[in-house]
Amino acid sequence: MGVFIWNQWGRFVAIFACVYTLWAGLWGIFFRKFFWDFLNGRLRLGPNARNGRPCADANPCGIIPARSDQIFIMLIVTMPVVQLLSIAFASAHLTLELVPACRKLSIYRSWALRIVTYTIQAFLTSLFYQGTNAAIYTTIALIAYIMAQVKGEEVEEAKEQRGRGGGGSGGEKA
């Protein structure tokens, strides 16, 4: 049997996580919900025989978020800032992973940059309801990249471009 290559497996999981994050971000723009509102929110039941009040904007039903969650409600429900940032991170990661021209850049070979940006992506996607599975997959990819760095793996393109600068046309040696 062969040796398990963590960075290749992590790359495949990361690509899937980024595609899922894009899809979740788009759904999150149209159906906005702060995922963690159930932790300290309160449940208000719908109309029944006792109160007879219909559910409306002035009298909402369901989980009512606490006042301490207002910053998240503003960034997720009122304005979809978190969803747009998640889409931006996922798009940047997909570009980095799938576009062959990006493989010549030093940011493609940087484990630290991947670990930091995937951590930010996992945090952002864990905040809104549609992004929770994407956060789990991104965390799995993050663990794979950490294991690859701990085991001392190198990206194949890094071996081919050893001693070169960060960008350029790739034809000349630095």
Side-chain angles (χ1 to χ4, degrees):
M1 295 198 72
V3 177
F4 187 74
I5 303 172
W6 284 95
N7 69 20
Q8 288 181 355
W9 180 71
R11 180 175 178 264
F12 292 134
V13 174
I15 290 170
F16 177 74
C18 290
V19 170
Y20 201 113
T21 299
L22 284 175
W23 187 250
L26 289 174
W27 275 96
I29 288 173
F30 294 110
F31 303 101
R32 301 175 190 171
K33 181 175 183 341
F34 172 52
F35 180 68
W36 303 101
D37 61 354
F38 62 87
L39 291 179
N40 55 358
R42 58 188 172 99
L43 181 62
R44 183 179 288 170
L45 300 176
N48 57 28
R50 284 188 300 172
N51 63 17
R53 296 177 298 181
C55 294
D57 289 338
N59 185 28
C61 298
I63 295 179
I64 309 300
R67 289 203 168 119
S68 60
D69 294 338
Q70 288 306 313
I71 185 72
F72 296 112
I73 300 302
M74 183 182 72
L75 293 175
I76 296 170
V77 179
T78 308
M79 301 176 294
V81 174
V82 172
Q83 292 93 320
L84 292 174
L85 284 173
S86 297
I87 290 172
F89 270 96
S91 298
H93 284 138
L94 278 176
T95 302
L96 189 65
E97 296 288 353
L98 295 177
V99 175
C102 290
R103 294 183 182 164
K104 297 176 184 174
L105 302 174
S106 63
I107 60 172
Y108 182 79
R109 301 184 301 263
S110 173
W111 292 118
L113 182 69
R114 287 185 191 201
I115 290 170
V116 168
T117 56
Y118 279 119
T119 302
I120 295 169
Q121 179 179 322
F123 173 72
L124 288 172
T125 55
S126 70
L127 291 177
F128 62 99
Y129 179 74
Q130 291 84 357
T132 53
N133 284 345
I136 293 169
Y137 299 136
T138 304
T139 305
I140 292 170
L142 179 66
I143 291 169
Y145 281 136
I146 290 171
M147 288 298 296
Q149 185 178 21
V150 167
K151 294 190 178 283
E153 293 182 10
E154 291 184 1
V155 180
E156 284 297 318
E157 287 78 8
K159 292 178 186 175
E160 297 168 4
Q161 299 175 9
R162 199 167 275 159
R164 290 192 183 169
S169 63
E172 68 276 2
K173 288 198 174 190

PDB file of all heavy atoms in Angstrom, residues 44-81:
ATOM      1  N   ARG A  44     -40.958  31.959  21.433  1.00  0.00           N
ATOM      2  CA  ARG A  44     -42.298  32.541  21.519  1.00  0.00           C
ATOM      3  C   ARG A  44     -43.194  31.702  20.617  1.00  0.00           C
ATOM      4  O   ARG A  44     -42.937  31.576  19.422  1.00  0.00           O
ATOM      5  CB  ARG A  44     -42.299  33.985  21.064  1.00  0.00           C
ATOM      6  CG  ARG A  44     -43.677  34.611  21.217  1.00  0.00           C
ATOM      7  CD  ARG A  44     -43.701  36.040  20.796  1.00  0.00           C
ATOM      8  NE  ARG A  44     -43.001  36.830  21.791  1.00  0.00           N
ATOM      9  CZ  ARG A  44     -42.695  38.098  21.609  1.00  0.00           C
ATOM     10  NH1 ARG A  44     -43.005  38.703  20.491  1.00  0.00           N
ATOM     11  NH2 ARG A  44     -42.077  38.782  22.547  1.00  0.00           N
ATOM     12  N   LEU A  45     -44.226  31.130  21.215  1.00  0.00           N
ATOM     13  CA  LEU A  45     -45.121  30.242  20.481  1.00  0.00           C
ATOM     14  C   LEU A  45     -46.022  31.041  19.556  1.00  0.00           C
ATOM     15  O   LEU A  45     -46.280  32.225  19.772  1.00  0.00           O
ATOM     16  CB  LEU A  45     -45.943  29.417  21.446  1.00  0.00           C
ATOM     17  CG  LEU A  45     -45.122  28.518  22.378  1.00  0.00           C
ATOM     18  CD1 LEU A  45     -46.022  27.821  23.367  1.00  0.00           C
ATOM     19  CD2 LEU A  45     -44.317  27.516  21.582  1.00  0.00           C
ATOM     20  N   GLY A  46     -46.551  30.370  18.560  1.00  0.00           N
ATOM     21  CA  GLY A  46     -47.439  31.001  17.592  1.00  0.00           C
ATOM     22  C   GLY A  46     -48.827  31.218  18.162  1.00  0.00           C
ATOM     23  O   GLY A  46     -49.081  31.010  19.360  1.00  0.00           O
ATOM     24  N   PRO A  47     -49.759  31.621  17.310  1.00  0.00           N
ATOM     25  CA  PRO A  47     -51.117  31.902  17.800  1.00  0.00           C
ATOM     26  C   PRO A  47     -51.784  30.619  18.288  1.00  0.00           C
ATOM     27  O   PRO A  47     -51.605  29.544  17.733  1.00  0.00           O
ATOM     28  CB  PRO A  47     -51.827  32.472  16.577  1.00  0.00           C
ATOM     29  CG  PRO A  47     -51.042  31.988  15.412  1.00  0.00           C
ATOM     30  CD  PRO A  47     -49.633  31.830  15.886  1.00  0.00           C
ATOM     31  N   ASN A  48     -52.514  30.759  19.349  1.00  0.00           N
ATOM     32  CA  ASN A  48     -53.269  29.627  19.875  1.00  0.00           C
ATOM     33  C   ASN A  48     -54.571  30.147  20.470  1.00  0.00           C
ATOM     34  O   ASN A  48     -54.906  31.324  20.353  1.00  0.00           O
ATOM     35  CB  ASN A  48     -52.451  28.836  20.901  1.00  0.00           C
ATOM     36  CG  ASN A  48     -51.977  29.686  22.059  1.00  0.00           C
ATOM     37  OD1 ASN A  48     -52.606  30.678  22.414  1.00  0.00           O
ATOM     38  ND2 ASN A  48     -50.865  29.310  22.637  1.00  0.00           N
ATOM     39  N   ALA A  49     -55.301  29.294  21.136  1.00  0.00           N
ATOM     40  CA  ALA A  49     -56.608  29.678  21.667  1.00  0.00           C
ATOM     41  C   ALA A  49     -56.484  30.696  22.796  1.00  0.00           C
ATOM     42  O   ALA A  49     -57.397  31.490  23.006  1.00  0.00           O
ATOM     43  CB  ALA A  49     -57.339  28.435  22.169  1.00  0.00           C
ATOM     44  N   ARG A  50     -55.352  30.701  23.524  1.00  0.00           N
ATOM     45  CA  ARG A  50     -55.226  31.625  24.646  1.00  0.00           C
ATOM     46  C   ARG A  50     -54.941  33.056  24.204  1.00  0.00           C
ATOM     47  O   ARG A  50     -55.586  33.986  24.648  1.00  0.00           O
ATOM     48  CB  ARG A  50     -54.134  31.163  25.597  1.00  0.00           C
ATOM     49  CG  ARG A  50     -54.570  30.015  26.456  1.00  0.00           C
ATOM     50  CD  ARG A  50     -53.540  29.721  27.488  1.00  0.00           C
ATOM     51  NE  ARG A  50     -52.295  29.379  26.790  1.00  0.00           N
ATOM     52  CZ  ARG A  50     -51.138  29.209  27.367  1.00  0.00           C
ATOM     53  NH1 ARG A  50     -51.035  29.354  28.662  1.00  0.00           N
ATOM     54  NH2 ARG A  50     -50.070  28.888  26.698  1.00  0.00           N
ATOM     55  N   ASN A  51     -53.951  33.237  23.350  1.00  0.00           N
ATOM     56  CA  ASN A  51     -53.595  34.611  23.017  1.00  0.00           C
ATOM     57  C   ASN A  51     -54.243  35.095  21.723  1.00  0.00           C
ATOM     58  O   ASN A  51     -54.502  36.270  21.592  1.00  0.00           O
ATOM     59  CB  ASN A  51     -52.078  34.814  22.980  1.00  0.00           C
ATOM     60  CG  ASN A  51     -51.387  34.002  21.920  1.00  0.00           C
ATOM     61  OD1 ASN A  51     -52.007  33.512  20.995  1.00  0.00           O
ATOM     62  ND2 ASN A  51     -50.088  33.852  22.053  1.00  0.00           N
ATOM     63  N   GLY A  52     -54.472  34.232  20.768  1.00  0.00           N
ATOM     64  CA  GLY A  52     -55.156  34.602  19.543  1.00  0.00           C
ATOM     65  C   GLY A  52     -54.423  35.610  18.678  1.00  0.00           C
ATOM     66  O   GLY A  52     -54.975  36.104  17.702  1.00  0.00           O
ATOM     67  N   ARG A  53     -53.188  35.945  19.014  1.00  0.00           N
ATOM     68  CA  ARG A  53     -52.432  36.924  18.238  1.00  0.00           C
ATOM     69  C   ARG A  53     -51.758  36.230  17.057  1.00  0.00           C
ATOM     70  O   ARG A  53     -51.090  35.225  17.237  1.00  0.00           O
ATOM     71  CB  ARG A  53     -51.365  37.591  19.101  1.00  0.00           C
ATOM     72  CG  ARG A  53     -51.946  38.392  20.242  1.00  0.00           C
ATOM     73  CD  ARG A  53     -50.838  38.946  21.074  1.00  0.00           C
ATOM     74  NE  ARG A  53     -50.075  37.823  21.634  1.00  0.00           N
ATOM     75  CZ  ARG A  53     -49.042  37.938  22.437  1.00  0.00           C
ATOM     76  NH1 ARG A  53     -48.611  39.114  22.791  1.00  0.00           N
ATOM     77  NH2 ARG A  53     -48.415  36.882  22.906  1.00  0.00           N
ATOM     78  N   PRO A  54     -51.912  36.783  15.853  1.00  0.00           N
ATOM     79  CA  PRO A  54     -51.199  36.197  14.718  1.00  0.00           C
ATOM     80  C   PRO A  54     -49.723  36.594  14.753  1.00  0.00           C
ATOM     81  O   PRO A  54     -49.349  37.598  15.336  1.00  0.00           O
ATOM     82  CB  PRO A  54     -51.912  36.804  13.508  1.00  0.00           C
ATOM     83  CG  PRO A  54     -52.447  38.099  14.010  1.00  0.00           C
ATOM     84  CD  PRO A  54     -52.785  37.883  15.466  1.00  0.00           C
ATOM     85  N   CYS A  55     -48.908  35.787  14.137  1.00  0.00           N
ATOM     86  CA  CYS A  55     -47.486  36.107  14.027  1.00  0.00           C
ATOM     87  C   CYS A  55     -47.320  37.178  12.952  1.00  0.00           C
ATOM     88  O   CYS A  55     -47.840  37.059  11.860  1.00  0.00           O
ATOM     89  CB  CYS A  55     -46.680  34.873  13.638  1.00  0.00           C
ATOM     90  SG  CYS A  55     -46.678  33.604  14.904  1.00  0.00           S
ATOM     91  N   ALA A  56     -46.607  38.233  13.281  1.00  0.00           N
ATOM     92  CA  ALA A  56     -46.351  39.328  12.349  1.00  0.00           C
ATOM     93  C   ALA A  56     -45.015  39.948  12.725  1.00  0.00           C
ATOM     94  O   ALA A  56     -44.365  39.528  13.686  1.00  0.00           O
ATOM     95  CB  ALA A  56     -47.468  40.355  12.408  1.00  0.00           C
ATOM     96  N   ASP A  57     -44.597  40.956  11.963  1.00  0.00           N
ATOM     97  CA  ASP A  57     -43.330  41.613  12.255  1.00  0.00           C
ATOM     98  C   ASP A  57     -43.327  42.253  13.632  1.00  0.00           C
ATOM     99  O   ASP A  57     -42.323  42.244  14.333  1.00  0.00           O
ATOM    100  CB  ASP A  57     -43.009  42.661  11.191  1.00  0.00           C
ATOM    101  CG  ASP A  57     -42.639  42.011   9.868  1.00  0.00           C
ATOM    102  OD1 ASP A  57     -42.239  40.840   9.887  1.00  0.00           O
ATOM    103  OD2 ASP A  57     -42.754  42.682   8.827  1.00  0.00           O
ATOM    104  N   ALA A  58     -44.442  42.840  14.028  1.00  0.00           N
ATOM    105  CA  ALA A  58     -44.511  43.479  15.345  1.00  0.00           C
ATOM    106  C   ALA A  58     -44.614  42.439  16.461  1.00  0.00           C
ATOM    107  O   ALA A  58     -44.263  42.713  17.606  1.00  0.00           O
ATOM    108  CB  ALA A  58     -45.707  44.426  15.406  1.00  0.00           C
ATOM    109  N   ASN A  59     -45.097  41.255  16.134  1.00  0.00           N
ATOM    110  CA  ASN A  59     -45.278  40.198  17.117  1.00  0.00           C
ATOM    111  C   ASN A  59     -44.705  38.902  16.552  1.00  0.00           C
ATOM    112  O   ASN A  59     -45.448  38.026  16.127  1.00  0.00           O
ATOM    113  CB  ASN A  59     -46.775  40.055  17.444  1.00  0.00           C
ATOM    114  CG  ASN A  59     -46.996  39.049  18.543  1.00  0.00           C
ATOM    115  OD1 ASN A  59     -46.133  38.843  19.384  1.00  0.00           O
ATOM    116  ND2 ASN A  59     -48.147  38.402  18.536  1.00  0.00           N
ATOM    117  N   PRO A  60     -43.365  38.760  16.499  1.00  0.00           N
ATOM    118  CA  PRO A  60     -42.780  37.574  15.863  1.00  0.00           C
ATOM    119  C   PRO A  60     -42.961  36.319  16.713  1.00  0.00           C
ATOM    120  O   PRO A  60     -43.094  36.387  17.927  1.00  0.00           O
ATOM    121  CB  PRO A  60     -41.309  37.944  15.746  1.00  0.00           C
ATOM    122  CG  PRO A  60     -41.075  38.928  16.830  1.00  0.00           C
ATOM    123  CD  PRO A  60     -42.359  39.679  17.000  1.00  0.00           C
ATOM    124  N   CYS A  61     -42.979  35.202  16.027  1.00  0.00           N
ATOM    125  CA  CYS A  61     -43.061  33.907  16.691  1.00  0.00           C
ATOM    126  C   CYS A  61     -41.789  33.128  16.396  1.00  0.00           C
ATOM    127  O   CYS A  61     -41.034  33.459  15.500  1.00  0.00           O
ATOM    128  CB  CYS A  61     -44.268  33.129  16.188  1.00  0.00           C
ATOM    129  SG  CYS A  61     -45.821  33.948  16.533  1.00  0.00           S
ATOM    130  N   GLY A  62     -41.554  32.076  17.146  1.00  0.00           N
ATOM    131  CA  GLY A  62     -40.354  31.277  16.969  1.00  0.00           C
ATOM    132  C   GLY A  62     -39.291  31.686  17.964  1.00  0.00           C
ATOM    133  O   GLY A  62     -39.587  32.221  19.031  1.00  0.00           O
ATOM    134  N   ILE A  63     -38.037  31.458  17.619  1.00  0.00           N
ATOM    135  CA  ILE A  63     -36.932  31.819  18.509  1.00  0.00           C
ATOM    136  C   ILE A  63     -36.639  33.303  18.335  1.00  0.00           C
ATOM    137  O   ILE A  63     -36.349  33.770  17.239  1.00  0.00           O
ATOM    138  CB  ILE A  63     -35.685  30.976  18.215  1.00  0.00           C
ATOM    139  CG1 ILE A  63     -35.960  29.513  18.532  1.00  0.00           C
ATOM    140  CG2 ILE A  63     -34.501  31.484  19.023  1.00  0.00           C
ATOM    141  CD1 ILE A  63     -34.815  28.595  18.252  1.00  0.00           C
ATOM    142  N   ILE A  64     -36.715  34.035  19.420  1.00  0.00           N
ATOM    143  CA  ILE A  64     -36.409  35.458  19.423  1.00  0.00           C
ATOM    144  C   ILE A  64     -34.990  35.600  19.963  1.00  0.00           C
ATOM    145  O   ILE A  64     -34.725  35.260  21.111  1.00  0.00           O
ATOM    146  CB  ILE A  64     -37.394  36.248  20.314  1.00  0.00           C
ATOM    147  CG1 ILE A  64     -38.843  35.898  19.961  1.00  0.00           C
ATOM    148  CG2 ILE A  64     -37.126  37.734  20.210  1.00  0.00           C
ATOM    149  CD1 ILE A  64     -39.227  36.184  18.547  1.00  0.00           C
ATOM    150  N   PRO A  65     -34.042  36.090  19.145  1.00  0.00           N
ATOM    151  CA  PRO A  65     -32.653  36.196  19.607  1.00  0.00           C
ATOM    152  C   PRO A  65     -32.521  37.182  20.761  1.00  0.00           C
ATOM    153  O   PRO A  65     -33.275  38.156  20.869  1.00  0.00           O
ATOM    154  CB  PRO A  65     -31.895  36.707  18.383  1.00  0.00           C
ATOM    155  CG  PRO A  65     -32.801  36.481  17.231  1.00  0.00           C
ATOM    156  CD  PRO A  65     -34.187  36.478  17.753  1.00  0.00           C
ATOM    157  N   ALA A  66     -31.544  36.924  21.607  1.00  0.00           N
ATOM    158  CA  ALA A  66     -31.291  37.808  22.736  1.00  0.00           C
ATOM    159  C   ALA A  66     -30.666  39.109  22.247  1.00  0.00           C
ATOM    160  O   ALA A  66     -30.140  39.197  21.140  1.00  0.00           O
ATOM    161  CB  ALA A  66     -30.363  37.115  23.729  1.00  0.00           C
ATOM    162  N   ARG A  67     -30.707  40.119  23.088  1.00  0.00           N
ATOM    163  CA  ARG A  67     -30.116  41.412  22.717  1.00  0.00           C
ATOM    164  C   ARG A  67     -28.605  41.302  22.538  1.00  0.00           C
ATOM    165  O   ARG A  67     -28.013  42.074  21.801  1.00  0.00           O
ATOM    166  CB  ARG A  67     -30.446  42.452  23.778  1.00  0.00           C
ATOM    167  CG  ARG A  67     -31.890  42.841  23.743  1.00  0.00           C
ATOM    168  CD  ARG A  67     -32.116  44.189  24.362  1.00  0.00           C
ATOM    169  NE  ARG A  67     -33.463  44.614  24.039  1.00  0.00           N
ATOM    170  CZ  ARG A  67     -34.384  44.855  24.925  1.00  0.00           C
ATOM    171  NH1 ARG A  67     -34.110  44.727  26.203  1.00  0.00           N
ATOM    172  NH2 ARG A  67     -35.583  45.228  24.551  1.00  0.00           N
ATOM    173  N   SER A  68     -27.981  40.360  23.212  1.00  0.00           N
ATOM    174  CA  SER A  68     -26.528  40.206  23.074  1.00  0.00           C
ATOM    175  C   SER A  68     -26.135  39.684  21.686  1.00  0.00           C
ATOM    176  O   SER A  68     -24.980  39.780  21.303  1.00  0.00           O
ATOM    177  CB  SER A  68     -25.999  39.265  24.155  1.00  0.00           C
ATOM    178  OG  SER A  68     -26.606  37.994  24.029  1.00  0.00           O
ATOM    179  N   ASP A  69     -27.078  39.163  20.946  1.00  0.00           N
ATOM    180  CA  ASP A  69     -26.821  38.641  19.603  1.00  0.00           C
ATOM    181  C   ASP A  69     -27.068  39.667  18.502  1.00  0.00           C
ATOM    182  O   ASP A  69     -27.001  39.321  17.320  1.00  0.00           O
ATOM    183  CB  ASP A  69     -27.699  37.413  19.327  1.00  0.00           C
ATOM    184  CG  ASP A  69     -27.349  36.237  20.211  1.00  0.00           C
ATOM    185  OD1 ASP A  69     -26.215  36.210  20.712  1.00  0.00           O
ATOM    186  OD2 ASP A  69     -28.203  35.360  20.397  1.00  0.00           O
ATOM    187  N   GLN A  70     -27.332  40.895  18.841  1.00  0.00           N
ATOM    188  CA  GLN A  70     -27.710  41.891  17.843  1.00  0.00           C
ATOM    189  C   GLN A  70     -26.617  42.153  16.813  1.00  0.00           C
ATOM    190  O   GLN A  70     -26.921  42.433  15.656  1.00  0.00           O
ATOM    191  CB  GLN A  70     -28.138  43.193  18.517  1.00  0.00           C
ATOM    192  CG  GLN A  70     -29.482  43.093  19.216  1.00  0.00           C
ATOM    193  CD  GLN A  70     -30.583  42.594  18.292  1.00  0.00           C
ATOM    194  OE1 GLN A  70     -30.735  43.062  17.173  1.00  0.00           O
ATOM    195  NE2 GLN A  70     -31.341  41.607  18.755  1.00  0.00           N
ATOM    196  N   ILE A  71     -25.363  42.072  17.197  1.00  0.00           N
ATOM    197  CA  ILE A  71     -24.284  42.280  16.225  1.00  0.00           C
ATOM    198  C   ILE A  71     -24.310  41.196  15.157  1.00  0.00           C
ATOM    199  O   ILE A  71     -24.117  41.465  13.970  1.00  0.00           O
ATOM    200  CB  ILE A  71     -22.896  42.357  16.921  1.00  0.00           C
ATOM    201  CG1 ILE A  71     -21.805  42.702  15.901  1.00  0.00           C
ATOM    202  CG2 ILE A  71     -22.547  41.058  17.618  1.00  0.00           C
ATOM    203  CD1 ILE A  71     -21.851  44.108  15.422  1.00  0.00           C
ATOM    204  N   PHE A  72     -24.588  39.948  15.561  1.00  0.00           N
ATOM    205  CA  PHE A  72     -24.676  38.853  14.595  1.00  0.00           C
ATOM    206  C   PHE A  72     -25.925  38.994  13.731  1.00  0.00           C
ATOM    207  O   PHE A  72     -25.882  38.709  12.532  1.00  0.00           O
ATOM    208  CB  PHE A  72     -24.680  37.509  15.313  1.00  0.00           C
ATOM    209  CG  PHE A  72     -23.413  37.238  16.056  1.00  0.00           C
ATOM    210  CD1 PHE A  72     -23.409  37.198  17.439  1.00  0.00           C
ATOM    211  CD2 PHE A  72     -22.225  37.041  15.387  1.00  0.00           C
ATOM    212  CE1 PHE A  72     -22.243  36.954  18.132  1.00  0.00           C
ATOM    213  CE2 PHE A  72     -21.051  36.802  16.063  1.00  0.00           C
ATOM    214  CZ  PHE A  72     -21.063  36.761  17.445  1.00  0.00           C
ATOM    215  N   ILE A  73     -27.022  39.415  14.333  1.00  0.00           N
ATOM    216  CA  ILE A  73     -28.247  39.625  13.566  1.00  0.00           C
ATOM    217  C   ILE A  73     -28.020  40.708  12.513  1.00  0.00           C
ATOM    218  O   ILE A  73     -28.459  40.588  11.373  1.00  0.00           O
ATOM    219  CB  ILE A  73     -29.413  40.002  14.511  1.00  0.00           C
ATOM    220  CG1 ILE A  73     -29.658  38.881  15.534  1.00  0.00           C
ATOM    221  CG2 ILE A  73     -30.668  40.315  13.734  1.00  0.00           C
ATOM    222  CD1 ILE A  73     -29.977  37.541  14.941  1.00  0.00           C
ATOM    223  N   MET A  74     -27.297  41.758  12.894  1.00  0.00           N
ATOM    224  CA  MET A  74     -27.025  42.831  11.946  1.00  0.00           C
ATOM    225  C   MET A  74     -26.137  42.341  10.798  1.00  0.00           C
ATOM    226  O   MET A  74     -26.374  42.647   9.633  1.00  0.00           O
ATOM    227  CB  MET A  74     -26.362  44.009  12.646  1.00  0.00           C
ATOM    228  CG  MET A  74     -26.125  45.199  11.718  1.00  0.00           C
ATOM    229  SD  MET A  74     -25.296  46.550  12.512  1.00  0.00           S
ATOM    230  CE  MET A  74     -23.656  45.904  12.683  1.00  0.00           C
ATOM    231  N   LEU A  75     -25.086  41.545  11.104  1.00  0.00           N
ATOM    232  CA  LEU A  75     -24.126  41.115  10.088  1.00  0.00           C
ATOM    233  C   LEU A  75     -24.588  39.910   9.266  1.00  0.00           C
ATOM    234  O   LEU A  75     -23.994  39.619   8.228  1.00  0.00           O
ATOM    235  CB  LEU A  75     -22.787  40.791  10.748  1.00  0.00           C
ATOM    236  CG  LEU A  75     -22.051  41.971  11.359  1.00  0.00           C
ATOM    237  CD1 LEU A  75     -20.800  41.498  12.078  1.00  0.00           C
ATOM    238  CD2 LEU A  75     -21.704  42.994  10.298  1.00  0.00           C
ATOM    239  N   ILE A  76     -25.618  39.212   9.730  1.00  0.00           N
ATOM    240  CA  ILE A  76     -26.072  38.020   9.015  1.00  0.00           C
ATOM    241  C   ILE A  76     -27.475  38.210   8.440  1.00  0.00           C
ATOM    242  O   ILE A  76     -27.718  37.892   7.279  1.00  0.00           O
ATOM    243  CB  ILE A  76     -26.032  36.782   9.928  1.00  0.00           C
ATOM    244  CG1 ILE A  76     -24.595  36.485  10.327  1.00  0.00           C
ATOM    245  CG2 ILE A  76     -26.659  35.576   9.248  1.00  0.00           C
ATOM    246  CD1 ILE A  76     -24.447  35.450  11.406  1.00  0.00           C
ATOM    247  N   VAL A  77     -28.383  38.733   9.249  1.00  0.00           N
ATOM    248  CA  VAL A  77     -29.775  38.818   8.828  1.00  0.00           C
ATOM    249  C   VAL A  77     -30.076  40.157   8.147  1.00  0.00           C
ATOM    250  O   VAL A  77     -30.631  40.186   7.057  1.00  0.00           O
ATOM    251  CB  VAL A  77     -30.718  38.590  10.037  1.00  0.00           C
ATOM    252  CG1 VAL A  77     -32.173  38.708   9.625  1.00  0.00           C
ATOM    253  CG2 VAL A  77     -30.455  37.228  10.642  1.00  0.00           C
ATOM    254  N   THR A  78     -29.711  41.256   8.791  1.00  0.00           N
ATOM    255  CA  THR A  78     -30.027  42.563   8.223  1.00  0.00           C
ATOM    256  C   THR A  78     -29.220  42.832   6.958  1.00  0.00           C
ATOM    257  O   THR A  78     -29.780  43.185   5.916  1.00  0.00           O
ATOM    258  CB  THR A  78     -29.758  43.678   9.261  1.00  0.00           C
ATOM    259  OG1 THR A  78     -30.438  43.345  10.470  1.00  0.00           O
ATOM    260  CG2 THR A  78     -30.251  45.008   8.760  1.00  0.00           C
ATOM    261  N   MET A  79     -27.925  42.691   7.046  1.00  0.00           N
ATOM    262  CA  MET A  79     -27.028  42.832   5.892  1.00  0.00           C
ATOM    263  C   MET A  79     -26.224  41.532   5.794  1.00  0.00           C
ATOM    264  O   MET A  79     -25.589  41.146   6.763  1.00  0.00           O
ATOM    265  CB  MET A  79     -26.055  43.995   6.106  1.00  0.00           C
ATOM    266  CG  MET A  79     -26.702  45.328   6.309  1.00  0.00           C
ATOM    267  SD  MET A  79     -25.482  46.598   6.671  1.00  0.00           S
ATOM    268  CE  MET A  79     -24.860  46.066   8.252  1.00  0.00           C
ATOM    269  N   PRO A  80     -26.211  40.874   4.663  1.00  0.00           N
ATOM    270  CA  PRO A  80     -25.523  39.569   4.577  1.00  0.00           C
ATOM    271  C   PRO A  80     -24.003  39.703   4.444  1.00  0.00           C
ATOM    272  O   PRO A  80     -23.393  39.162   3.527  1.00  0.00           O
ATOM    273  CB  PRO A  80     -26.157  38.931   3.348  1.00  0.00           C
ATOM    274  CG  PRO A  80     -26.521  40.078   2.486  1.00  0.00           C
ATOM    275  CD  PRO A  80     -26.926  41.180   3.432  1.00  0.00           C
ATOM    276  N   VAL A  81     -23.367  40.384   5.385  1.00  0.00           N
ATOM    277  CA  VAL A  81     -21.924  40.601   5.325  1.00  0.00           C
ATOM    278  C   VAL A  81     -21.164  39.289   5.494  1.00  0.00           C
ATOM    279  O   VAL A  81     -20.218  39.004   4.753  1.00  0.00           O
ATOM    280  CB  VAL A  81     -21.503  41.628   6.402  1.00  0.00           C
ATOM    281  CG1 VAL A  81     -20.001  41.756   6.468  1.00  0.00           C
ATOM    282  CG2 VAL A  81     -22.150  42.964   6.142  1.00  0.00           C
TER     283      VAL A  81
END
